[in-house]
Amino acid sequence: MINDVRFTVADFETTGHSHASGGRIMQAAFVTIEEGRIQGQYNTYLNPDAPIPPFIQELTGIDEKTVQQAPFFKDEAGQFLKWLADSVFVAHNVSFDLTFLNGELEASGHPPFTGLFIDTVELAKIVLPASDSYKLGDLSDQFGLSHRQKHRADSDAYATAELFIQLVERLEALPLVTIEQLLKLSSGLKSDIHMLLSRIAAEKKKRVEMLSDQWTVYRGLALRTKKQPEKRTADRSISFPEKEEEKWVLLSGVPGMERRHGQMQMMNAVQRFFEKGQHTVIEAGTGTGKSLAYLLPAIYESQRSGRPVVVSTYTVLLQHQLLERELTKLQMMLPFDVKAAVLKGKRHYLDLSRFVRSLREKERNYDRTMTKMQMLVWLLETETGDGDELNLSSGGALFWKEVCQADDYMNKAKQAWRKHDFARYAKEVAASADIIVTNHSFLIADMKAEKPLLLPESYIIIDEAHRFEKAARERLGQELSLAHLKFLLGKMGSAEDRRLLYHLNRIESKRLAERPSEKVMAATAAVLTEAEEWFGVLSAFFERQTSRMSHSKRQQAITEESRNTAGWQQIEYGAERLYNLLSRLIEAVSEKITPITDIRKQLSARDELYVDDMLLFLKRCRGWNERLFELIFRPDEEEVIWMEGDVRSLANTLTIRTQPVQPGSLIQDYLLERHHVLFTSATLTVEQSFRFFAGEMGLTPHQYSEYVIPSPFDYANHCRIVIPNDVPEVKETDNGSYAQAVADYIIAAAETAGGRMLVLFTSFDILKKTHDFIRETELLAEYAIIAQGITNGSVARLAKNFRQYDKAILLGTGALWEGIDIPGEDLSVLFIVRLPFAPPDDPFIAARSGQLKKEGENPFSAYSLPQAIIRFRQGFGRLIRTESDRGVAILFDRRVLSSRYGKAFLESIPDVPVKELDIAGTMELIEKWLPREK
């Protein structure tokens, strides 16, 4: 640890988020670090001379009584300045603390702090580039630091000091070559981390560095040393245990494993799949233990055949669960090593030649600077080079697109890095693995690729199979947007700004007679102008077509009817002009690049990379132009085409999309005809039949085996369903009145259940209205109201926040119906606001319905109802996640009782007692039924 600098770590608890808007410090704490150790602490409450909002009181545990007799800031300012004298100021999110400190100092007549300062959030992002979160509590847990009272200044300051010491020690452990590269970039950071790096570099240069075996330095870049995968062979002597007792002997090798009859049933079904090779569909209820049930036979099959078995999932969460939890269990129980690999599309992997080139460029953009620094540290940790491991900002994600693998061509620059190429390494690891874990999107892309990575006749297990049809639609679809075209043309640049055109001119001037750039520049400018004008016409058409919609995010199908309107004719005229102008740009760039490609063998590796970038640019321009022509002039009858955008910012959001109306025929042709496929999920049947799912997948009768394995949970004694009898019918009221009724129930249930509630919506409009009603009453001021689309964060982040608060209510749509797992008493009450029918004006639903009508089917019973039932089952499944869970589900939508199809929803879930109650009866049931304390 750096010994010649004094660091003062600070944390302040405040009455608001901003000093400028009236927030004041109500608790201050300082911790000093000298010679690498914590040397002193100081903590005081302060009278903020301002009210403390209820939510802040709930968060911090500090109320107005606590600070009533405390000194004012001006009385303690002198003491604070002593702690800060001759120190580097350190804080977690330093701009927050420093802004408050300087605001209070200036208000007290003191000069602001102007010394060096370091942000431990910024430092953590560099040192821990793959961390899931940079919140202080999460980082404290990651390092096992003492942090007993989160959101108290004394505890937070001490935890930040311990974290800072850990981060600096990790920084000091990095090789000198990486430290020097970080130092070059650090001038572009927001805090003074360059001071740390310059001292660490100076110290390292005083002695000869012995590089650890875990790292390799190649061409000036330090990398994690990869383990070379061993080639595998088939072992025909291995066979999967036939008897249940033999299977149980294996499973019992893992501490805490419970004997589950359903898991044994599923193992037998999976083993029959491997023996017969017939497509198989298995519905395995929650709690079956399906992951182990398919992985165990799959590993035996892989060992026996010498070929990997592929497992595909929809969510990254399940991928991590398989790799980190289930495969660890399998390794404990099996007498041989288990090898697993993750396989993804090439754009998930870093292209080292492109990254090294980017390091040579001068950087002025903060997000790009931070991302480069994160990647330099990450390269010392990653064996895979999979960008999904990184925690990147949105700007960092844009930079990733510039340095990820973009094509298969092995130019000189890539050839130089071939030994360390991540995509090539991923294929080698996958070839030697027992289990290849991938995602639905990659599997669908691979099945249509000219050179598929998966071997013919592979055994493929598709988990989360209820989402495979949607994944297929999304992956097989196309899109067209102005934002994408602008991003593409931005790569060309001008003759001066050191992008592609500049480098082509530079190569020409060295090797050939330089050709003028004006033709390319003029063509680029013409395309941009026409594209903006055309998207303006398209936006006006879109706004007219969607003017009756109240929400800002809208969709509108492009149908035969809309193509016959006067406005569409203008769109076609503009599209034709844009198509011709982009064709001219492609021609102008081709004329410029062709002579250079003829001499590419004479070029340096760096220049050859620029030539390949230009060829890739041409390929993408042609692709954009072809999509434009197809979507506007030659639409495919088997596809649905629609526009979508946010009317608040159509220039940035308007997109034309297309998807196949029935991807089942493509799944049949490209997947089922070539491989052996097992589909599994907790929700595949509708009214005890696989017919709907099989039709969506292109499976024909007698082509597959089917199994239903019920959940082992005792729903009848652990769950209750309430259907309120005092809420309006869905079709008899407006969204505002309906949202008010929902809000009334949530407010009443909050105290009874102590929060712990998940509220599932089908409409963001009703979600927002409900959220606003709850907020306006201020009756739940001490609760954390977490609302998807209003509260920032991913689905996983929202769910994590929900678990962290004692009093929390989570409102969600979309992914929250199925994308989260909250076991135990963290979730005790589930509200389902409406039955989850997709809106009939959704472009895909409308197109699918039209197709079914042509085939003589009823679209509602053939598609809309089965889809809604499967989604309802997913939503209901959020409530009971373990055998000890207890919960109450409140179904607001009275159509489950009043409509002819309603009983199909209740019959689709386990047998649970259902009661019709008013609000008072519902609260009484919740109070009696649920455990009292979280």
Side-chain angles (χ1 to χ4, degrees), residues 514-533:
E514 190 172 346
R515 300 160 68 92
S517 305
E518 284 73 18
K519 188 175 178 182
V520 172
M521 289 167 64
T524 305
V527 169
L528 270 173
T529 303
E530 186 61 48
E532 288 188 341
E533 193 172 312

Side-chain angles (χ1 to χ4, degrees), residues 554-624:
R554 302 173 186 174
Q555 292 183 323
Q556 179 64 38
I558 301 173
T559 61
E560 199 60 43
E561 187 182 343
S562 57
R563 288 174 186 274
N564 289 325
T565 61
W568 186 260
Q569 203 170 35
Q570 292 299 113
I571 289 169
E572 287 190 348
Y573 291 152
E576 189 175 355
R577 287 195 301 272
L578 180 55
Y579 178 84
N580 290 333
L581 286 169
L582 190 49
S583 298
R584 281 179 210 160
L585 172 61
I586 292 164
E587 186 184 333
V589 174
S590 298
E591 285 175 7
K592 195 165 182 67
I593 194 72
T594 301
I596 300 174
T597 56
D598 292 341
I599 59 158
R600 69 178 299 148
K601 289 183 179 176
Q602 301 170 32
L603 303 179
S604 67
R606 176 169 171 257
D607 285 348
E608 194 180 10
L609 201 53
Y610 285 118
V611 171
D612 285 341
D613 281 350
M614 187 57 95
L615 293 172
L616 189 61
F617 169 84
L618 279 173
K619 181 181 175 184
R620 288 176 176 170
C621 282
R622 288 190 186 104
W624 199 96

Side-chain angles (χ1 to χ4, degrees), residues 789-852:
I790 297 171
T791 309
N792 288 333
S794 64
V795 167
R797 168 54 53 194
L798 296 180
K800 190 170 185 179
N801 290 346
F802 175 74
R803 285 190 290 265
Q804 285 177 339
Y805 289 106
D806 285 339
K807 293 182 172 182
I809 300 165
L810 179 56
L811 314 180
T813 60
L816 280 169
W817 280 79
E818 53 185 298
I820 57 167
D821 190 5
I822 306 173
E825 292 177 15
D826 284 335
L827 174 59
S828 297
V829 181
L830 171 72
F831 289 92
I832 292 179
V833 174
R834 278 188 176 175
L835 295 176
F837 287 104
D841 60 351
D842 175 281
F844 175 78
I845 301 298
R848 189 84 171 88
S849 298
Q851 189 184 64
L852 287 165

Side-chain angles (χ1 to χ4, degrees), residues 628-729:
L628 172 68
F629 189 83
E630 287 165 11
L631 297 183
I632 303 301
F633 300 110
R634 291 215 186 134
D636 188 333
E637 287 184 6
E638 297 301 312
E639 293 186 336
V640 54
I641 303 174
W642 75 95
M643 294 182 284
E644 64 180 40
D646 189 325
V647 291
R648 294 169 299 184
S649 178
L650 284 176
N652 297 320
T653 61
L654 187 63
T655 304
I656 303 177
R657 296 190 191 279
T658 174
Q659 287 181 3
V661 178
Q662 175 49 286
S665 58
L666 296 167
I667 294 169
Q668 170 73 28
D669 292 346
Y670 291 100
L671 189 68
L672 301 177
E673 293 288 338
R674 300 177 183 182
H675 303 288
H676 310 283
V677 184
L678 183 150
F679 297 96
T680 186
S681 166
T683 54
L684 294 179
T685 60
V686 174
E687 298 182 272
Q688 290 76 52
S689 168
F690 285 107
R691 186 175 162 222
F692 174 71
F693 175 77
E696 294 292 283
M697 292 300 105
L699 285 163
T700 54
H702 314 299
Q703 192 188 12
Y704 63 96
S705 301
E706 60 179 55
Y707 304 88
V708 175
I709 298 165
S711 169
F713 298 158
D714 183 3
Y715 283 90
N717 290 310
H718 283 249
C719 184
R720 291 291 180 267
I721 291 175
V722 174
I723 301 169
N725 58 20
D726 54 353
V727 297
E729 288 276 359

Side-chain angles (χ1 to χ4, degrees), residues 174-178 181 209-225 379-380 417 419-420:
L174 302 181
L176 177 59
V177 62
T178 302
Q181 286 166 320
E209 184 176 54
M210 298 295 290
L211 197 68
S212 164
D213 289 344
Q214 67 179 317
W215 296 323
T216 301
V217 175
Y218 181 74
R219 292 186 159 223
L221 192 66
L223 306 163
R224 172 82 178 268
T225 306
L379 284 170
L380 299 168
W417 289 93
K419 185 181 173 186
H420 300 280

Side-chain angles (χ1 to χ4, degrees), residues 37 60 64 172 187 203 234 333 349 390 535 576 628 658 675 690 693 698 704 751 841 914:
R37 295 197 310 276
T60 63
E64 287 169 6
E172 289 173 327
S187 60
E203 195 61 36
M333 65 176 73
Y349 300 105
L390 288 161
F535 269 92
E576 189 175 355
L628 172 68
T658 174
H675 303 288
F690 285 107
F693 175 77
Y704 63 96
E751 278 299 334
D841 60 351
V914 179

Side-chain angles (χ1 to χ4, degrees), residues 45-106:
Y45 291 114
L46 296 169
N47 188 330
D49 198 23
I52 304 172
F55 182 71
I56 299 287
Q57 293 183 35
E58 167 73 15
L59 187 69
T60 63
I62 300 171
D63 56 23
E64 287 169 6
K65 189 177 178 182
T66 310
V67 299
Q68 198 171 7
Q69 302 300 319
F72 292 98
F73 182 93
K74 63 183 180 184
D75 302 324
E76 293 293 301
Q79 185 72 12
F80 293 175
L81 290 169
K82 285 179 187 174
W83 278 84
L84 294 170
D86 303 318
S87 292
V88 176
F89 185 86
V90 179
H92 202 70
N93 192 6
V94 74
S95 63
F96 175 88
D97 295 276
L98 203 51
T99 302
F100 265 97
L101 175 68
N102 284 337
E104 298 273 26
L105 284 171
E106 289 178 11

Side-chain angles (χ1 to χ4, degrees), residues 752-804:
T752 312
R756 305 183 287 165
M757 300 191 301
L758 171 63
V759 190
L760 295 176
F761 296 81
T762 58
S763 154
F764 179 74
D765 182 50
I766 297 179
L767 181 153
K768 188 175 186 309
K769 283 182 167 68
T770 304
H771 170 269
D772 293 346
F773 281 133
I774 293 169
R775 285 280 187 219
E776 284 164 16
T777 65
E778 297 187 355
L779 293 170
L780 300 184
E782 61 190 48
Y783 285 75
I785 312 295
I786 302 164
Q788 188 181 3
I790 297 171
T791 309
N792 288 333
S794 64
V795 167
R797 168 54 53 194
L798 296 180
K800 190 170 185 179
N801 290 346
F802 175 74
R803 285 190 290 265
Q804 285 177 339

